[in-house]
Amino acid sequence: MSWAPTRPAPSPAVRAAARPRRSSSAGRWLRRVIAGSVLAALVLIGGTAIRVWQVARIDDYSHADAILVLGAAQYDGTPSSVFQARLGQAYRLFGKGIAPLVITVGGKRPGDEYTEAAAGKMYLTDHGVPADHVLAVQAGSDTLESIDAVAGAMRSRDLSSVVLVSDPWHSMRTRTMARDAGLDAWTAPTRTGPSVYTRESQFHGIARETVALLWYKLTHFPADFKYTAEQ
């Protein structure tokens, strides 16, 4: 008969050390979840910024029922530099025969005598666009309200296709909103004005529109921000 020595039973301290550390595992799991969430957010934000940049580079001169100029600041009937750049692009598109109608849009702030739409129409007619080829939709205090007002005005006239004129970085969001409103929409943004003068203004525009577009997609509410460039 063989005899083998028996090992002493492990002490309570050793047994405790040998047990899985549940709190440690939970901490690692939580860190992984947080890291994954941060990575997913960065991918979403980065992907949206790239799309804003890509659509900003598109100039689609396909024929449409109307050319829509998104409103911007105006001062006693005189469009701001940002607004003038947009109106100038609409004027050139009209001259190329892209559409027989130019639509200006935008309401007015308390104390203003003119709406953005009216100021835009005056600017275009002063530069030679016939008044009966310009429709002023005098409503909208933000991009979404403006798009909805224009969509209603176009539907009432049996119009459905529109080329959108705004700043390049604004193109993706306006196109998304217009298509959500049931319009067949594409973009031909301005290539002049404060929004494209410097790298700083371009970076600011992309960053601002990335946040605004993500907010709109998540909530379907507008998120317009003031320009830091000269208006």
Side-chain angles (χ1 to χ4, degrees), residues 19-106:
R19 293 193 195 105
R21 296 186 177 178
R22 295 183 180 177
S23 58
S24 247
S25 297
R28 282 196 299 271
W29 180 83
L30 181 59
R31 285 193 295 272
R32 288 172 183 169
V33 169
I34 293 173
S37 299
V38 170
L39 180 60
L42 290 175
V43 170
L44 177 62
I45 293 169
T48 302
I50 290 171
R51 286 298 294 150
V52 168
W53 176 78
Q54 288 175 331
V55 175
R57 296 167 61 86
I58 295 173
D59 293 301
D60 191 337
Y61 290 170
S62 301
H63 290 276
D65 293 330
I67 299 161
L68 169 59
V69 190
L70 275 297
Q74 58 82 30
Y75 306 104
D76 198 26
T78 301
S80 63
S81 55
V82 169
F83 200 6
Q84 285 186 33
R86 299 178 185 182
L87 291 164
Q89 172 69 344
Y91 173 81
R92 287 186 287 273
L93 294 176
F94 180 81
K96 290 177 182 290
I98 300 301
L101 178 69
V102 181
I103 301 175
T104 59
V105 65

Side-chain angles (χ1 to χ4, degrees), residues 182-197:
L183 298 176
D184 184 13
W186 52 93
T187 60
T190 180
R191 300 298 173 190
T192 62
S195 66
V196 296
Y197 279 161

Side-chain angles (χ1 to χ4, degrees), residues 117-138:
K121 180 171 184 176
M122 286 190 297
Y123 183 92
L124 290 169
T125 55
D126 286 346
H127 283 75
V129 180
D132 58 347
H133 286 266
V134 183
L135 171 64
V137 178
Q138 303 186 69

